[in-house]
Amino acid sequence: FKFLNKKNKKIVQLFFGGDARCWDTFSQEYKINITTIEKEPINNVNFNMILTRLRKAELYASSIYSLPDQAGLAIRPFFRLYMPFECEKYKFAVQDRAVPIVVHIESKQPYKGESFIYEAINNLKNQGLEFEFQAHKNLSHREVIEVLEHADILVDEVMIFGPGTLAYESIACGCAVATKVQDGHLAKDFFCNLEIENIETPLKEFIINRESRIQHLSSAYELLKKINNPKNIAKNIIQMWDTDIQNISKYDYQPRYFLEKYNLPAGHVVSKKNKKLTRLVFDKYYTDPVLRESLIERNLM
């Protein structure tokens, strides 16, 4: 960062998840029990590694792209990250069955919330709803694509905000997606939005309302081709990297959780290095003495 900065180069930082997300912070902010997601909560060493990576980017980058659910430790405004995706690598073909095939593809249990998903599926089956359900795990990437090409609906993650790569691949293959979608996503209205406490009702409607589901799938596909096109994303990055950091209204998000509410979990300590980095970033972008004192009192700076 320092080398590129001295050379007056533009630095754009994209955060994709685990490089910036702290599970303990996520749990505090979104009131989700992380033991249902991650078997081993983040330890203090990893916590400080993530914090160092984040603070250096906040200090030196021309612009930052991230998402709110992975920005619990962030303090600098950032742009929404739209993941580069090449639709042309997939064949868009909608199945349109009267009795749809609904699939779920596991990753690392219980990361996607399988226990909640399978309970909801069983309840819908017991209600007499007509659909075929298939659960898969340990598939190769080619096998994943074959499953998506043959299915009508993918039920993806319900714990972490999506859509992610698998959901994009599903859309590109012509398979509608039910997953947890974050507010502000341009295609939110074209997904079946699932929450841990509310899976059955929206999924039932998604299965029954075949015509609107296919219409929404087509709309999601058109948005995916436009918004997630790598060339368009690159053009946007170039257009936005001179945005004045003090003009907060120009940014998609101004993170406040760390500044105002975050508290260190038991056993976690911010390293001296990270306390210094946090002060450098804070002093660069903020002047609020109350916030500064609050961060010091919480042993964060």
Side-chain angles (χ1 to χ4, degrees), residues 63-295:
S63 57
I64 295 174
Y65 288 77
S66 188
L67 294 169
D69 72 296
Q70 63 192 34
L73 296 176
I75 58 178
R76 174 181 160 176
F78 59 91
F79 297 110
R80 168 177 275 278
L81 171 70
Y82 283 98
M83 187 167 52
F85 186 84
E86 298 175 288
C87 280
E88 60 270 19
K89 290 185 176 181
Y90 304 85
K91 181 181 179 181
F92 183 76
V94 180
Q95 296 299 325
D96 193 18
R97 296 182 181 87
V99 178
I101 294 178
V102 180
V103 299
H104 176 71
I105 301 175
E106 297 182 10
S107 54
K108 182 178 67 173
Q109 274 192 295
Y111 184 82
K112 293 185 175 183
E114 274 76 11
S115 60
F116 303 102
I117 292 170
Y118 295 155
E119 180 182 4
I121 291 294
N122 288 333
N123 289 341
L124 292 176
K125 280 287 187 182
N126 291 335
Q127 292 172 25
L129 187 64
E130 287 192 286
F131 65 97
E132 179 184 336
F133 180 69
Q134 301 172 359
H136 302 272
K137 58 183 176 181
N138 301 323
L139 300 182
S140 68
H141 185 252
R142 181 61 253 171
E143 289 171 329
V144 167
I145 301 306
E146 288 174 356
V147 167
L148 297 175
E149 288 174 340
H150 185 64
D152 295 87
I153 299 171
L154 168 72
V155 178
D156 202 12
E157 54 195 340
V158 297
M159 306 295 294
I160 307 299
F161 294 102
T165 302
L166 180 63
Y168 290 148
E169 289 179 328
S170 182
I171 293 169
C173 291
C175 178
V177 178
T179 190
K180 185 173 183 176
V181 185
Q182 196 160 51
D183 289 338
H185 194 287
L186 291 176
K188 181 175 181 178
D189 292 342
F190 306 132
F191 290 89
C192 174
N193 191 20
L194 304 180
E195 300 281 351
I196 297 173
E197 63 278 4
N198 187 23
I199 296 176
E200 289 181 37
T201 299
L203 184 56
K204 181 177 182 179
E205 293 175 357
F206 203 55
I207 291 171
I208 292 173
N209 298 326
R210 182 168 121 202
E211 185 175 339
S212 66
R213 181 180 75 235
I214 292 173
Q215 288 177 349
H216 286 166
L217 171 60
S218 296
S219 298
Y221 180 65
E222 292 304 316
L223 265 180
L224 182 62
K225 287 194 295 183
K226 179 181 178 182
I227 302 300
N228 297 82
N229 180 285
K231 290 182 180 179
N232 291 341
I233 289 175
K235 288 177 182 177
N236 176 263
I237 287 173
I238 293 170
Q239 289 172 356
M240 303 304 290
W241 66 23
D242 283 324
T243 303
D244 182 3
I245 191 65
Q246 301 301 330
N247 191 349
I248 293 174
S249 64
K250 295 291 185 180
Y251 290 81
D252 296 319
Y253 300 102
Q254 183 190 6
R256 304 292 298 181
Y257 190 78
F258 184 90
L259 289 171
E260 299 173 350
K261 299 178 181 179
Y262 176 71
N263 287 295
L264 283 166
H268 282 211
V269 177
V270 177
S271 68
K272 290 182 179 180
K273 176 183 180 180
N274 281 330
K275 283 186 177 182
K276 180 180 178 181
L277 282 170
T278 298
R279 176 173 284 279
L280 289 172
V281 176
F282 182 87
D283 289 345
K284 187 173 182 179
Y285 300 113
Y286 298 94
T287 58
D288 190 333
V290 176
L291 277 180
R292 180 185 289 107
E293 187 61 31
S294 173
L295 289 167

